[in-house]
Amino acid sequence: MDQFDQDKLDQQLTALFDGKVVRKDLLHRIKKGTNVPTFVLEFLLARYCASDEPEEIQAGMEAVLDTLNDNYVRPNEANAAQSRVATKGKHRFIDKVHVNYVEKDRRHWAALENFDSRRVAISEKFYRDNERLLQGGLWAEVTIGYNEIEDDDYAFFVEDLRPIQLSRFDFDRYCEGREAFSRDDWMDVILRSVGLEPTRLTKRVKFHFIARLAPLIEPNFNFIELGPRGTGKSYFYSEFSPYSTLISGGQATKATLFYNVQRRKIGLVGYWDTVAFDEVGGIKIKDPDTIQIMKDFMANGRFSRGVEVIAQASMAYVGNLDLSVEQIVNSEVYDLFQPLPKEFDLAVQDRFACYLPGWEMPKNSSEFLTGNYGFITDYLAEAFHYQFKQTNRYEEVSSRVKLGDAVEGRDEKGIKKTLCAFLKILHPNGKPSDEEFEEYVAYAVESRRRVKEQMNKRKTDDEFSRINLSYFTASGKEVVVYCPESKTATATQEPSRRNIHAGEEADDTPAETQTSTPMVPGVEVPTEPPSPAIEAETKPEPEEQHFTIHYGDTGYSYEALILPYLQGAKQVEIEDPYIRANHQIHNFVRFCEAVIKSPTIRKIVLTTSYDQDTDLKMLNERFEELKQSLLELDIELKILVNENMHDREIRIDNGWMIKIGRGLDFYQKPDLWFGVGAHDLSMRRCLETKVDIFRG
């Protein structure tokens, strides 16, 4: 390994922060081929490679690789890892550990992602001292022991657990070191710490990368970045900090994000500094309550779900923009919020403090990676976490910034929150110069203007028309800030108002207005632009039905039979005496899966029966598993027993009743368990039965 030559910034950083820095080229070498977060790898590099001597570095790299080979479990090696513990008695692993409370067992179980066991015994002290084990999990060095007591219901237990993060952080020492750097040098240190080489970036792009970090350091900061694929939008939230969590759209339920009423447990916003949504355009929100709670939380960090909840988590939304920006800003139909799901209405958009122009970010490439020193990722993450929890720069910003008359309430709050983030990142213990502060103000105003311009294009009146946001310099000069992509785009700066009285005055519309919509190549432009207001879909009222499903018929899934009749329903009661055999229990699980596709359902009640041949232990275990899985979705399952019942019916609290002669058990056994219809009930052949659907 060649001798490493430090530049001036390296020398200054290693002298002032000895033991807190790492060579980033070592990370790039070792990162390839592993699916381990950056902060985990740098934890190991800091342990073994704290030197510049080529021989020591080489030995340290080998030690890191050996540690990964011995202790990191790859997903396809879970069985071998479990065998190793059983054979040796115990072994230490690097894995992400979750802890879940299982009600039927009345105890907590640990689950290791790659070790692939969800039933690992764990002592209370571990999850008491590390609450994030209970919500989202955390990476740790964990020693798993083998339980040789055959009567116990578990094979493995956690003998020791050490989170992969700093045990102590000294903020005063961090600030003391910062004083030795200029603002520009400190910004370069931050960028090198996240793996980027600042000498290859323009000042504007550097500011963009700093803005990406804002949700990690400023509480209740609402951030959005849309742009092309491959620019590393989600990296900072999945790899950079152990205090941030990245979720996919499919997990965006109010029970997961905010509060699970059934479990009386706060969601992700109570455990993480930053909750980031990857591929925001793919978010599926079935329950309108989720959006309302999101609006409340984004507005002031609090919401109510039976109890008043206050939390500090920032929300970051990242996604892909498929049209060219030039086409969008010159279109009367499209805007830069185009990828957002329809539920993200103007009220949600107005809560964004900062819209980062992702189209200006460089594509991921090795040419932008640094080979120099930067902070150990976990050390910088701790500095951000400390400021997230302990420092507030809002009053300082408010006393210093002067904004123009066009800046309204949410504009002002968003701009000031962005400024707070920049001060915390670049000036953790001091004040910037007037020139530096005005650079931050200009950037923050632009980031908020980008939000307001899109809302102004969507709105049919002048509510958001004051888009010429401005600020005053220290000398008293007013400066109007523009977004570079739209400064000369008439369709964005002066959008034609859409007629909210469609058809009434069509003849009076000037010809210029009628033909002013620029065509977007490759995209079909509607002749009548869709209203930006999101209207509830009006579904036709379902009708009563009385019919017979004949032997061998297909196309009668539970979804097809019941979903149309669940509009507005909160509770479904089903009476069926024959939910006892294994296949009947499977049918009931599928029935529940169909029912909960209706976003308003909160409770399912099953009344059933059993006979002397029923395996009650097995039956109770299956029901308990189903009950727990529904609780995670904030849905209650109640099981009642009536030994004398015989009739079968489904009652919905919106007034509909469904009677199926055979109950849920009207499907034929499939000829092949790996054939068509084995799993998709719409393709499963049926037994003959009568169906009556009517108002009760």
Side-chain angles (χ1 to χ4, degrees):
M1 186 174 291
D2 296 334
Q3 179 71 39
F4 179 79
D5 293 324
Q6 295 187 6
D7 65 12
K8 181 181 178 182
L9 201 59
D10 290 328
Q11 295 169 4
Q12 195 174 3
L13 192 62
T14 53
L16 291 167
F17 291 96
D18 184 39
K20 306 294 189 302
V21 296
V22 67
R23 275 174 52 185
K24 297 295 175 171
D25 62 321
L26 304 180
L27 171 68
H28 304 322
R29 292 182 205 174
I30 209 166
K31 178 70 174 171
K32 296 175 182 177
T34 66
N35 194 29
V36 185
T38 296
F39 65 85
V40 175
L41 293 176
E42 291 193 358
F43 175 86
L44 297 174
L45 287 170
R47 177 186 291 175
Y48 295 111
C49 298
S51 172
D52 266 337
E53 294 299 324
E55 295 80 9
E56 294 181 20
I57 287 289
Q58 184 62 42
M61 290 285 284
E62 292 174 1
V64 171
L65 292 171
D66 288 343
T67 300
L68 289 173
N69 288 332
D70 291 342
N71 304 126
Y72 173 67
V73 184
R74 290 164 182 79
N76 61 344
E77 297 173 351
N79 188 57
Q82 293 180 13
S83 175
R84 183 182 301 176
V85 175
T87 303
K88 293 175 56 180
K90 65 179 180 180
H91 191 77
R92 186 173 65 197
F93 296 102
I94 295 173
D95 206 343
K96 191 170 186 181
V97 185
H98 304 256
V99 174
N100 302 296
Y101 179 72
V102 179
E103 190 173 350
K104 74 183 181 70
D105 296 336
R106 296 180 178 237
R107 66 171 299 170
H108 291 78
W109 294 104
L112 280 71
E113 286 192 2
N114 293 342
F115 187 72
D116 197 24
S117 176
R118 303 187 60 82
R119 202 175 176 85
V120 179
I122 185 167
S123 169
E124 180 184 352
K125 68 176 182 178
F126 294 120
Y127 55 82
R128 186 183 62 235
D129 294 342
N130 302 281
E131 284 191 346
R132 283 184 296 125
L133 285 169
L134 294 162
Q135 190 74 16
L138 58 78
W139 283 86
E141 290 184 302
V142 55
T143 301
I144 300 297
Y146 183 68
N147 180 25
E148 297 183 352
I149 302 175
E150 294 185 2
D151 292 340
D152 288 344
D153 57 353
Y154 61 90
F156 306 109
F157 64 92
V158 174
E159 182 176 287
D160 189 32
L161 183 145
R162 290 190 297 167
I164 294 181
Q165 60 190 86
L166 294 179
S167 58
R168 190 176 68 87
F169 174 75
D170 186 341
F171 183 63
D172 292 335
R173 176 70 188 86
Y174 175 78
C175 292
E176 182 184 332
R178 161 65 182 95
E179 292 175 359
F181 295 84
S182 68
R183 190 284 304 267
D184 289 345
D185 282 349
W186 186 252
M187 181 158 51
D188 289 352
V189 167
I190 298 294
L191 293 172
R192 282 184 174 177
S193 298
V194 297
L196 298 165
E197 180 46 53
T199 58
R200 301 190 181 101
L201 304 173
T202 65
K203 189 171 189 177
R204 179 169 172 81
V205 173
K206 289 181 183 182
F207 270 38
H208 290 337
F209 279 112
I210 296 299
R212 266 189 185 172
L213 295 168
L216 298 168
I217 202 168
E218 178 64 17
N220 300 126
F221 186 81
N222 304 314
F223 170 89
I224 183 167
E225 178 183 353
L226 303 174
R229 292 167 176 81
T231 57
K233 291 186 290 292
S234 60
Y235 167 82
F236 284 14
Y237 311 111
S238 62
E239 299 269 343
F240 174 74
S241 173
Y243 298 101
S244 172
T245 186
L246 181 72
I247 65 174
S248 62
Q251 297 171 295
T253 66
K254 61 178 179 283
T256 302
L257 288 174
F258 300 109
Y259 193 79
N260 189 316
V261 174
Q262 299 297 329
R263 290 196 179 279
R264 296 187 178 90
K265 184 174 71 172
I266 194 169
L268 296 172
V269 297
Y271 290 89
W272 300 91
D273 290 357
T274 309
V275 178
F277 298 84
D278 196 11
E279 305 295 351
V280 63
I283 292 179
K284 299 290 186 291
I285 300 174
K286 299 178 181 178
D287 188 344
D289 286 350
T290 303
I291 280 291
Q292 186 55 53
I293 294 170
M294 183 180 287
K295 290 175 185 176
D296 293 343
F297 182 75
M298 291 173 70
N300 52 35
R302 65 177 65 203
F303 59 90
S304 179
R305 285 211 73 205
V307 296
E308 186 79 11
V309 178
I310 301 175
Q312 290 186 299
S314 290
M315 310 285 270
Y317 303 85
V318 297
N320 299 319
L321 200 59
D322 293 324
L323 299 178
S324 86
V325 174
E326 183 180 0
Q327 292 170 339
I328 292 173
V329 298
N330 287 293
S331 167
E332 293 282 0
V333 177
Y334 298 98
D335 58 66
L336 293 171
F337 281 143
Q338 175 253 337
L340 295 182
K342 65 178 184 179
E343 293 84 2
F344 278 44
D345 58 13
L346 290 169
V348 174
Q349 296 165 17
D350 198 19
R351 286 157 168 77
F352 291 131
C354 174
Y355 184 151
L356 191 152
W359 51 90
E360 295 186 19
M361 302 299 275
K363 289 276 191 178
N364 294 335
S365 169
S366 58
E367 73 173 292
F368 296 108
L369 299 179
T370 188
N372 295 77
Y373 277 92
F375 286 124
I376 298 169
T377 302
D378 196 41
Y379 179 73
L380 190 59
E382 288 294 336
F384 282 21
H385 174 66
Y386 179 91
Q387 294 181 83
F388 186 99
K389 294 292 186 183
Q390 305 294 335
T391 66
N392 188 332
R393 308 290 290 272
Y394 201 83
E395 286 300 320
E396 175 187 341
V397 165
S398 297
S399 66
R400 189 167 180 181
V401 69
K402 184 179 180 184
L403 301 170
D405 291 340
V407 175
E408 299 169 302
R410 287 213 169 101
D411 302 329
E412 180 180 358
K413 181 179 179 181
I415 291 167
K416 289 180 177 179
K417 295 283 279 183
T418 303
L419 285 171
C420 289
F422 269 71
L423 294 192
K424 288 180 179 182
I425 295 169
L426 299 176
H427 307 271
N429 67 325
K431 296 181 178 180
S433 66
D434 287 343
E435 181 182 356
E436 291 167 346
F437 187 72
E438 287 169 11
E439 286 180 326
Y440 308 151
V441 175
Y443 187 89
V445 172
E446 178 197 318
S447 299
R448 174 61 190 178
R449 175 173 179 143
R450 188 169 288 109
V451 173
K452 205 168 185 181
E453 284 185 350
Q454 315 320 311
M455 295 190 297
N456 187 41
K457 289 183 76 172
R458 292 192 175 203
K459 199 70 165 68
T460 56
D461 58 25
D462 294 335
E463 181 180 356
F464 301 110
S465 62
R466 303 180 73 185
I467 59 175
N468 286 328
L469 308 186
S470 63
Y471 70 95
F472 289 87
T473 66
S475 61
K477 177 184 177 183
E478 184 175 10
V479 179
V480 177
V481 180
Y482 292 87
C483 301
E485 71 276 0
S486 60
K487 184 175 181 179
T488 60
T490 304
T492 297
Q493 300 305 316
E494 300 175 9
S496 60
R497 296 293 170 210
R498 297 165 188 172
N499 190 357
I500 59 175
H501 305 293
E504 292 181 9
E505 302 174 358
D507 294 338
D508 297 329
T509 305
E512 299 94 319
T513 304
Q514 294 179 10
T515 60
S516 64
T517 303
M519 297 300 291
V520 180
V523 179
E524 183 178 347
V525 179
T527 54
E528 291 293 334
S531 170
I534 297 168
E535 300 178 359
E537 295 182 9
T538 55
K539 297 181 180 179
E541 179 72 16
E543 299 179 352
E544 289 194 6
Q545 296 190 67
H546 305 274
F547 59 92
T548 298
I549 298 175
H550 295 287
Y551 185 88
D553 281 356
T554 59
Y556 294 99
S557 66
Y558 296 133
E559 286 93 337
L561 288 174
I562 194 171
L563 268 182
Y565 299 91
L566 292 177
Q567 293 182 38
K570 294 183 179 180
Q571 178 171 307
V572 174
E573 298 180 48
I574 174 170
E575 294 184 356
D576 192 325
Y578 295 103
I579 308 292
R580 56 180 78 158
N582 197 49
H583 76 280
Q584 294 167 342
I585 300 170
H586 275 291
N587 284 343
F588 181 61
V589 172
R590 287 169 170 167
F591 173 81
C592 291
E593 290 173 340
V595 166
I596 64 177
K597 288 179 181 176
S598 174
T600 56
I601 293 297
R602 291 291 165 266
K603 187 174 183 179
I604 301 171
V605 180
L606 169 66
T607 303
T608 188
S609 183
Y610 62 88
D611 58 22
Q612 60 185 9
D613 297 324
T614 303
D615 184 343
L616 291 179
K617 184 175 184 296
M618 180 274 291
L619 187 64
N620 287 331
E621 286 179 352
R622 299 290 186 269
F623 283 151
E624 192 60 39
E625 288 179 13
L626 178 57
K627 183 182 293 185
Q628 294 301 317
S629 66
L630 287 170
L631 279 175
E632 290 300 319
L633 300 173
D634 209 3
I635 295 171
E636 178 186 358
L637 172 62
K638 187 174 183 179
I639 307 293
L640 304 175
V641 175
N642 182 348
E643 298 181 34
N644 300 315
M645 70 177 299
H646 184 269
D647 290 343
R648 305 163 177 86
E649 67 181 29
I650 300 168
R651 294 190 300 274
I652 307 170
D653 68 353
N654 60 10
W656 285 102
M657 292 188 66
I658 301 175
K659 289 193 173 185
I660 305 173
R662 288 179 174 270
L664 297 184
D665 194 8
F666 63 87
Y667 296 109
Q668 296 183 30
K669 181 179 179 179
D671 296 330
L672 301 167
W673 283 109
F674 293 93
V676 171
H679 297 284
D680 186 345
L681 293 183
S682 67
M683 306 182 77
R684 179 84 67 88
R685 288 195 292 270
C686 299
L687 299 167
E688 185 159 319
T689 189
K690 290 187 176 181
V691 179
D692 295 290
I693 306 175
F694 55 94
R695 286 281 188 183

mmCIF file of all heavy atoms in Angstrom, residues 642-661:
data_model
loop_
_atom_site.group_PDB
_atom_site.id
_atom_site.type_symbol
_atom_site.label_atom_id
_atom_site.label_comp_id
_atom_site.label_asym_id
_atom_site.label_seq_id
_atom_site.Cartn_x
_atom_site.Cartn_y
_atom_site.Cartn_z
ATOM 1 N N ASN A 642 -69.133 -19.545 20.634
ATOM 2 C CA ASN A 642 -70.526 -19.914 20.886
ATOM 3 C C ASN A 642 -70.701 -21.355 20.446
ATOM 4 O O ASN A 642 -70.791 -21.648 19.247
ATOM 5 C CB ASN A 642 -71.469 -18.982 20.131
ATOM 6 C CG ASN A 642 -72.930 -19.286 20.397
ATOM 7 O OD1 ASN A 642 -73.271 -20.324 20.967
ATOM 8 N ND2 ASN A 642 -73.807 -18.382 19.973
ATOM 9 N N GLU A 643 -70.751 -22.268 21.397
ATOM 10 C CA GLU A 643 -70.777 -23.698 21.070
ATOM 11 C C GLU A 643 -72.090 -24.134 20.432
ATOM 12 O O GLU A 643 -72.178 -25.222 19.861
ATOM 13 C CB GLU A 643 -70.527 -24.520 22.341
ATOM 14 C CG GLU A 643 -69.165 -24.271 22.969
ATOM 15 C CD GLU A 643 -68.955 -25.115 24.216
ATOM 16 O OE1 GLU A 643 -69.459 -26.252 24.252
ATOM 17 O OE2 GLU A 643 -68.304 -24.627 25.138
ATOM 18 N N ASN A 644 -73.135 -23.312 20.514
ATOM 19 C CA ASN A 644 -74.452 -23.711 20.019
ATOM 20 C C ASN A 644 -74.793 -23.092 18.669
ATOM 21 O O ASN A 644 -75.889 -23.314 18.149
ATOM 22 C CB ASN A 644 -75.530 -23.303 21.038
ATOM 23 C CG ASN A 644 -75.305 -23.958 22.388
ATOM 24 O OD1 ASN A 644 -75.030 -25.163 22.464
ATOM 25 N ND2 ASN A 644 -75.410 -23.179 23.461
ATOM 26 N N MET A 645 -73.879 -22.313 18.099
ATOM 27 C CA MET A 645 -74.196 -21.612 16.854
ATOM 28 C C MET A 645 -74.134 -22.553 15.664
ATOM 29 O O MET A 645 -73.457 -23.592 15.673
ATOM 30 C CB MET A 645 -73.231 -20.447 16.648
ATOM 31 C CG MET A 645 -71.805 -20.860 16.315
ATOM 32 S SD MET A 645 -70.746 -19.449 16.006
ATOM 33 C CE MET A 645 -71.560 -18.700 14.616
ATOM 34 N N HIS A 646 -74.871 -22.174 14.614
ATOM 35 C CA HIS A 646 -74.821 -22.949 13.379
ATOM 36 C C HIS A 646 -74.871 -22.042 12.152
ATOM 37 O O HIS A 646 -74.262 -22.338 11.134
ATOM 38 C CB HIS A 646 -75.981 -23.955 13.322
ATOM 39 C CG HIS A 646 -75.913 -24.849 12.123
ATOM 40 N ND1 HIS A 646 -76.538 -24.539 10.925
ATOM 41 C CD2 HIS A 646 -75.259 -26.024 11.923
ATOM 42 C CE1 HIS A 646 -76.287 -25.502 10.040
ATOM 43 N NE2 HIS A 646 -75.521 -26.419 10.620
ATOM 44 N N ASP A 647 -75.606 -20.932 12.246
ATOM 45 C CA ASP A 647 -75.748 -20.037 11.098
ATOM 46 C C ASP A 647 -74.430 -19.339 10.783
ATOM 47 O O ASP A 647 -73.542 -19.219 11.629
ATOM 48 C CB ASP A 647 -76.823 -18.989 11.373
ATOM 49 C CG ASP A 647 -78.220 -19.603 11.391
ATOM 50 O OD1 ASP A 647 -78.347 -20.741 10.881
ATOM 51 O OD2 ASP A 647 -79.146 -18.972 11.925
ATOM 52 N N ARG A 648 -74.367 -18.878 9.544
ATOM 53 C CA ARG A 648 -73.179 -18.176 9.082
ATOM 54 C C ARG A 648 -73.597 -16.834 8.480
ATOM 55 O O ARG A 648 -74.451 -16.812 7.592
ATOM 56 C CB ARG A 648 -72.433 -18.997 8.024
ATOM 57 C CG ARG A 648 -72.054 -20.401 8.470
ATOM 58 C CD ARG A 648 -71.720 -21.252 7.247
ATOM 59 N NE ARG A 648 -71.280 -22.575 7.608
ATOM 60 C CZ ARG A 648 -72.103 -23.605 7.843
ATOM 61 N NH1 ARG A 648 -73.421 -23.438 7.766
ATOM 62 N NH2 ARG A 648 -71.617 -24.792 8.152
ATOM 63 N N GLU A 649 -72.983 -15.754 8.932
ATOM 64 C CA GLU A 649 -73.290 -14.447 8.354
ATOM 65 C C GLU A 649 -72.177 -13.452 8.673
ATOM 66 O O GLU A 649 -71.402 -13.628 9.612
ATOM 67 C CB GLU A 649 -74.635 -13.919 8.861
ATOM 68 C CG GLU A 649 -74.678 -13.587 10.340
ATOM 69 C CD GLU A 649 -76.058 -13.098 10.769
ATOM 70 O OE1 GLU A 649 -77.060 -13.504 10.140
ATOM 71 O OE2 GLU A 649 -76.119 -12.316 11.745
ATOM 72 N N ILE A 650 -72.135 -12.407 7.848
ATOM 73 C CA ILE A 650 -71.176 -11.320 8.033
ATOM 74 C C ILE A 650 -71.980 -10.035 8.197
ATOM 75 O O ILE A 650 -72.786 -9.680 7.330
ATOM 76 C CB ILE A 650 -70.231 -11.199 6.818
ATOM 77 C CG1 ILE A 650 -69.444 -12.504 6.621
ATOM 78 C CG2 ILE A 650 -69.273 -10.024 6.993
ATOM 79 C CD1 ILE A 650 -68.717 -12.577 5.288
ATOM 80 N N ARG A 651 -71.772 -9.333 9.305
ATOM 81 C CA ARG A 651 -72.478 -8.082 9.575
ATOM 82 C C ARG A 651 -71.477 -6.923 9.550
ATOM 83 O O ARG A 651 -70.440 -6.978 10.218
ATOM 84 C CB ARG A 651 -73.185 -8.125 10.931
ATOM 85 C CG ARG A 651 -74.314 -9.140 11.001
ATOM 86 C CD ARG A 651 -75.131 -8.955 12.282
ATOM 87 N NE ARG A 651 -74.301 -9.120 13.478
ATOM 88 C CZ ARG A 651 -74.047 -10.303 14.037
ATOM 89 N NH1 ARG A 651 -74.545 -11.414 13.511
ATOM 90 N NH2 ARG A 651 -73.287 -10.370 15.119
ATOM 91 N N ILE A 652 -71.833 -5.899 8.815
ATOM 92 C CA ILE A 652 -70.971 -4.725 8.680
ATOM 93 C C ILE A 652 -71.676 -3.553 9.341
ATOM 94 O O ILE A 652 -72.894 -3.394 9.194
ATOM 95 C CB ILE A 652 -70.678 -4.428 7.194
ATOM 96 C CG1 ILE A 652 -70.130 -5.695 6.502
ATOM 97 C CG2 ILE A 652 -69.676 -3.285 7.047
ATOM 98 C CD1 ILE A 652 -70.038 -5.581 4.992
ATOM 99 N N ASP A 653 -70.933 -2.740 10.068
ATOM 100 C CA ASP A 653 -71.577 -1.690 10.859
ATOM 101 C C ASP A 653 -72.114 -0.517 10.035
ATOM 102 O O ASP A 653 -72.629 0.445 10.586
ATOM 103 C CB ASP A 653 -70.643 -1.179 11.968
ATOM 104 C CG ASP A 653 -69.444 -0.419 11.446
ATOM 105 O OD1 ASP A 653 -69.232 -0.381 10.216
ATOM 106 O OD2 ASP A 653 -68.693 0.148 12.265
ATOM 107 N N ASN A 654 -71.999 -0.594 8.699
ATOM 108 C CA ASN A 654 -72.653 0.408 7.854
ATOM 109 C C ASN A 654 -74.032 -0.058 7.401
ATOM 110 O O ASN A 654 -74.671 0.588 6.565
ATOM 111 C CB ASN A 654 -71.774 0.749 6.640
ATOM 112 C CG ASN A 654 -71.479 -0.461 5.771
ATOM 113 O OD1 ASN A 654 -72.071 -1.542 5.947
ATOM 114 N ND2 ASN A 654 -70.558 -0.305 4.838
ATOM 115 N N GLY A 655 -74.465 -1.224 7.909
ATOM 116 C CA GLY A 655 -75.814 -1.700 7.639
ATOM 117 C C GLY A 655 -75.920 -2.888 6.708
ATOM 118 O O GLY A 655 -76.966 -3.535 6.629
ATOM 119 N N TRP A 656 -74.844 -3.234 6.006
ATOM 120 C CA TRP A 656 -74.898 -4.356 5.071
ATOM 121 C C TRP A 656 -74.712 -5.685 5.798
ATOM 122 O O TRP A 656 -73.988 -5.767 6.791
ATOM 123 C CB TRP A 656 -73.820 -4.211 3.995
ATOM 124 C CG TRP A 656 -74.138 -3.174 2.963
ATOM 125 C CD1 TRP A 656 -73.629 -1.915 2.883
ATOM 126 C CD2 TRP A 656 -75.046 -3.303 1.872
ATOM 127 N NE1 TRP A 656 -74.155 -1.244 1.809
ATOM 128 C CE2 TRP A 656 -75.032 -2.078 1.165
ATOM 129 C CE3 TRP A 656 -75.877 -4.335 1.416
ATOM 130 C CZ2 TRP A 656 -75.808 -1.854 0.034
ATOM 131 C CZ3 TRP A 656 -76.651 -4.112 0.276
ATOM 132 C CH2 TRP A 656 -76.623 -2.887 -0.399
ATOM 133 N N MET A 657 -75.368 -6.723 5.270
ATOM 134 C CA MET A 657 -75.200 -8.096 5.755
ATOM 135 C C MET A 657 -74.898 -8.985 4.560
ATOM 136 O O MET A 657 -75.463 -8.808 3.473
ATOM 137 C CB MET A 657 -76.457 -8.591 6.472
ATOM 138 C CG MET A 657 -76.745 -7.890 7.787
ATOM 139 S SD MET A 657 -78.112 -8.659 8.696
ATOM 140 C CE MET A 657 -77.401 -10.256 9.092
ATOM 141 N N ILE A 658 -74.018 -9.938 4.778
ATOM 142 C CA ILE A 658 -73.654 -10.897 3.732
ATOM 143 C C ILE A 658 -73.816 -12.297 4.305
ATOM 144 O O ILE A 658 -73.207 -12.631 5.334
ATOM 145 C CB ILE A 658 -72.201 -10.677 3.254
ATOM 146 C CG1 ILE A 658 -72.030 -9.256 2.705
ATOM 147 C CG2 ILE A 658 -71.819 -11.708 2.195
ATOM 148 C CD1 ILE A 658 -70.602 -8.904 2.317
ATOM 149 N N LYS A 659 -74.648 -13.100 3.655
ATOM 150 C CA LYS A 659 -74.835 -14.485 4.070
ATOM 151 C C LYS A 659 -74.350 -15.406 2.965
ATOM 152 O O LYS A 659 -74.821 -15.326 1.831
ATOM 153 C CB LYS A 659 -76.301 -14.764 4.389
ATOM 154 C CG LYS A 659 -76.794 -14.091 5.669
ATOM 155 C CD LYS A 659 -78.134 -14.645 6.108
ATOM 156 C CE LYS A 659 -78.526 -14.083 7.473
ATOM 157 N NZ LYS A 659 -79.766 -14.689 8.003
ATOM 158 N N ILE A 660 -73.377 -16.227 3.315
ATOM 159 C CA ILE A 660 -72.850 -17.218 2.380
ATOM 160 C C ILE A 660 -73.193 -18.590 2.964
ATOM 161 O O ILE A 660 -72.818 -18.887 4.104
ATOM 162 C CB ILE A 660 -71.322 -17.079 2.205
ATOM 163 C CG1 ILE A 660 -70.972 -15.645 1.784
ATOM 164 C CG2 ILE A 660 -70.798 -18.067 1.170
ATOM 165 C CD1 ILE A 660 -69.471 -15.369 1.750
ATOM 166 N N GLY A 661 -73.924 -19.386 2.218
ATOM 167 C CA GLY A 661 -74.431 -20.649 2.757
ATOM 168 C C GLY A 661 -73.369 -21.502 3.407
ATOM 169 O O GLY A 661 -73.581 -22.080 4.482
#
